[in-house]
Amino acid sequence: MELNSIKPAAGATRERRRIGRGIGSGFGKTGGRGHKGQKSRSGGYHKVGFEGGQMPLQRRLPKRGFKSQTLKFNAEVTLSALERLGADEVDVLALKKAGLVDELARVVKVIKSGEITRAVKLSGIAATAGAKAAIEAAGGSVA
């Protein structure tokens, strides 16, 4: 077998339809375009979303919402999740290994949800004011 002898499987390809080649072809005269009108003419068509001059749907509806592409790099961890983790020193890598934050996460913040009783040292992780107070009350620190 040579590269120049490779062909598609039998029945995989069809001959192209030859438009405008006489009555017997079934696509003669008007060439499958019907009679008259914009769509029958060469070069005659309209832009996507055009509704004949009526205000198009995408302009009738209000503009709404925005989804930031940087949000996927941010992550949150709760105090109760830190309690369950059971580590004394916690950084972003440890949270990724434990599966508490996504692999894409770059910025991690601890939020005050739940309780913490063990002393945890956070490094490279931010914390809300309430979470920081709870961690320090338990004997931990936020670096």
Side-chain angles (χ1 to χ4, degrees):
M1 179 185 282
E2 300 292 328
L3 283 176
N4 63 351
S5 67
I6 296 174
K7 288 186 174 152
T13 59
R14 293 179 173 182
E15 286 195 9
R16 69 182 184 85
R17 182 179 287 164
R18 296 182 70 223
I19 304 292
R21 292 294 179 273
I23 293 170
S25 70
F27 291 95
K29 194 186 166 212
T30 53
R33 288 174 173 257
H35 291 279
K36 297 186 180 176
Q38 186 179 23
K39 291 197 277 187
S40 74
R41 321 239 181 243
S42 71
Y45 216 66
H46 55 79
K47 62 185 177 188
V48 175
F50 184 68
E51 298 182 17
Q54 170 177 289
M55 186 62 69
L57 183 67
Q58 76 269 19
R59 290 190 57 201
R60 276 179 285 173
L61 298 175
K63 294 202 286 187
R64 183 175 176 276
F66 167 76
K67 187 163 185 179
S68 173
Q69 291 301 304
T70 58
L71 281 178
K72 59 188 170 192
F73 301 116
N74 298 343
E76 291 178 349
V77 178
T78 62
L79 287 175
S80 51
L82 283 180
E83 179 78 30
R84 285 194 305 271
L85 185 60
D88 295 330
E89 291 197 18
V90 180
D91 60 350
V92 178
L93 198 61
L95 293 174
K96 285 182 182 180
K97 281 185 180 174
L100 290 175
V101 297
D102 194 59
E103 287 296 321
L104 289 173
R106 292 184 198 155
V107 179
V108 180
K109 196 169 203 177
V110 179
I111 58 172
K112 187 181 181 219
S113 176
E115 311 250 329
I116 191 162
T117 55
R118 58 186 300 117
V120 176
K121 184 178 181 227
L122 299 182
S123 56
I125 298 174
T128 61
K132 186 175 180 181
I135 290 168
E136 287 172 350
S141 64
V142 179

